[in-house]
Structure formats: C-alpha cells, structure tokens
C-alpha cells in the first residue's frame, strides 16, 4: 500500500481543478450502503457471514501502518519526519482518523468494487487532506492517451488521476470495479432468503401452521390433487 501512495503523492497535478463549494461537497458525500451503487449491499450486510468477512478484511487493512521510505545506498530508510506521516497515519481529514477512513475505503472496495479518495492540495500543491467519496458520485473517464480522469458530482471539471486514489476489484473496460457482491449476487440472495424465512419461522413461535389429516388412506392421484390445490 505504501508504494501506491508514494507514486501518487510524488507526482504533481497536470491541470488545475476548480472545485465549487468543496466543503459542502465532501460533507454531503457520506459513504452508505443504501446509495444508488449498492442494490444488494444492504441485504448482503445483514448476512452474518458477509458482515463478518467484510468487517474482518476492512479492519485488517485499516490497522496496517503506512510507511514513507526513501532509498539510501540501496537500502530503505523510513522517513518518520515526512509531512505526509500525519495525514496517512493520524488525521487524513477533519472528519475521520486514519483507521476509520481506511476501514470505510476498504468496505467500499469490497461492497461496491471501487474505493475513492480525493486529494485536496494547498496553493503550493502540497497535500492537505484525503476525502472519502461515495462511488455512486464518481465516474471514471478513460482517455485516448491511456490515462483516466474522474467526473465527480458537484465539481465543475473532470479530476486528473493525480488527485484521486482509486482502489478497485475486477476492473472493466471503463475502469469501473466490479464488486464481490455483484459476482455472488445469486448465492447471497439465496442465503438472504433462507435467513429471512428462518427468522419469520421463529418469530411465529417455531410451530406448524396446521396439519392435514384424512379419514381414510389416500391414493397417489388424490395426494397429487390435494398438493396442487394448495399450491393454487
């Protein structure tokens, strides 16, 4: 993960990005599971297995330290006094600490297939903060030269890739990640239906609704006829 941030933060933006009401934009782009990009995410997270796996993976990544290093005589030396240390390991922005930000980022990758961080900069292009974006509000725009820009709802111009950290799974030709939830939607839907049926069963007292009895033995044809009538 450190290599990702080193490559991004060491590069300077190739264009100036105009931001309209930046503070209001980021305040309004809270990450949630009921957005337009998450049809089955809310159902999936109600499954104990899906919730536990997502929680374990996101927590494990969020706990990892991010080290900034440089090479000195062919050896890696950690730069403990680098200005980015505070942003990457303590307070990436005013809303989240490091753990919470990267936990939400990884949850977004797992559930939506994409995780986005917007890099805000000062007048000298130094990194000020990392802002979490909801994938429902971000659209990658592949360029003819092979680069990618990002159209973000609320911004007047497309954002250069130097100002976006984009983590993804199973990316398609339009540079959109495809989530595990989408790939496993049929299996998750079946598991969700089973848990819902089980919940309704126990809410009803775990008792049978009724038992059919016949006054005399039934033939196979009679049994079939009765079964068909109940299905109707």
């Amino acid at each position: 993960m450190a290599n990702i941030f080193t490559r991004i933060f060491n590069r300077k933006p190739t264009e100036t990005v105009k931001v309209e009401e930046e503070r209001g934009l980021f305040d309004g782009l809270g990450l949630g599971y009921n957005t337009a990009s998450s049809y089955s995410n809310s159902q999936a997270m109600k499954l104990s297995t899906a919730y536990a796996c997502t929680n374990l993976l996101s927590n494990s990544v969020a706990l990892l330290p991010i080290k900034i290093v440089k090479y000195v005589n062919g050896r890696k030396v950690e730069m403990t006094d680098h200005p980015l240390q505070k942003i990457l390991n303590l307070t990436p922005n005013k809303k989240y600490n490091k753990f919470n930000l990267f936990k939400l980022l990884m949850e977004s990758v797992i559930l939506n297939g994409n995780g986005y961080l917007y890099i805000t900069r000062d007048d000298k292009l130094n990194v000020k903060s990392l802002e979490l974006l909801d994938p429902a509000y971000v659209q990658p725009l592949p360029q003819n030269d092979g680069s990618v820009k990002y159209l973000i709802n609320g911004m007047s111009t497309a954002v250069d890739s130097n100002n976006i950290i984009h983590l993804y799974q199973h990316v398609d030709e339009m540079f959109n990640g495809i989530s595990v939830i989408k790939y496993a939607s049929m299996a998750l839907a079946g598991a969700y239906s089973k848990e819902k049926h089980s919940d309704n069963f126990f809410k009803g007292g775990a008792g049978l609704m009724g038992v059919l009895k016949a006054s005399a033995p039934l033939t196979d044809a009679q049994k079939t006829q009765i079964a068909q009538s109940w299905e109707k």
Side-chain angles (χ1 to χ4, degrees):
M1 182 177 289
N3 290 337
I4 295 176
F5 294 112
T6 301
R7 290 197 303 270
I8 292 175
F9 292 133
N10 285 341
R11 296 162 60 191
K12 297 301 182 182
T14 56
E15 67 176 54
T16 301
V17 179
K18 295 180 180 180
V19 180
E20 295 180 353
E21 300 180 358
E22 180 179 288
R23 182 180 301 276
L25 168 67
F26 295 123
D27 290 343
L29 295 185
L31 181 64
Y33 298 124
N34 293 319
T35 65
S37 64
S38 55
Y39 161 71
S40 60
N41 292 351
S42 60
Q43 291 181 336
M45 290 299 284
K46 291 178 182 177
L47 297 172
S48 57
T49 303
Y51 176 84
C53 291
T54 302
N55 193 53
L56 177 62
L57 288 171
S58 58
N59 282 348
S60 298
V61 173
L63 287 170
L64 294 174
I66 301 175
K67 296 182 179 180
I68 302 173
V69 299
K70 65 178 179 180
Y71 284 90
V72 179
N73 297 326
R75 298 181 59 186
K76 289 183 180 180
V77 178
E78 185 176 358
M79 302 172 65
T80 56
D81 58 346
H82 196 281
L84 287 175
Q85 282 285 0
K86 180 179 179 181
I87 292 176
L88 292 177
N89 289 292
L90 293 175
T91 52
N93 59 48
K94 294 181 179 180
K95 189 174 183 180
Y96 299 115
N97 60 29
K98 182 259 185 182
F99 176 84
N100 291 333
L101 179 73
F102 285 98
K103 176 179 173 62
L104 289 171
L105 178 66
M106 293 312 301
E107 286 181 353
S108 180
V109 174
I110 295 168
L111 297 174
N112 298 296
N114 297 280
Y116 294 101
L117 293 177
Y118 177 73
I119 304 171
T120 64
R121 301 179 186 269
D122 59 21
D123 295 337
K124 296 182 180 179
L125 301 180
N126 296 312
V127 178
K128 289 172 53 180
S129 67
L130 301 176
E131 304 290 345
L132 183 68
L133 299 177
D134 190 320
Y137 294 91
V138 183
Q139 179 184 351
L141 300 173
Q143 305 296 300
N144 293 331
D145 61 1
S147 64
V148 180
K149 295 179 185 263
Y150 295 87
L151 188 61
I152 301 174
N153 186 32
M155 292 190 175
S156 58
T157 59
V159 178
D160 190 84
S161 58
N162 290 332
N163 289 320
I164 289 284
I165 297 174
H166 180 194
L167 304 183
Y168 50 80
Q169 287 184 332
H170 313 294
V171 67
D172 62 19
E173 66 277 2
M174 295 304 295
F175 220 66
N176 279 304
I178 303 172
S179 71
V180 175
I181 302 300
K182 186 174 182 179
Y183 273 112
S185 59
M186 292 186 65
L188 289 170
Y192 179 78
S193 297
K194 291 174 185 176
E195 287 209 5
K196 188 175 181 180
H197 175 76
S198 176
D199 181 60
N200 291 335
F201 176 71
F202 286 107
K203 280 183 178 179
L208 297 174
M209 298 299 293
V211 177
L212 291 177
K213 290 185 177 181
S215 57
L218 299 175
T219 65
D220 290 340
Q222 289 174 323
K223 293 177 182 178
T224 301
Q225 184 179 4
I226 293 174
Q228 291 176 346
S229 66
W230 273 86
E231 290 177 357
K232 295 178 181 180

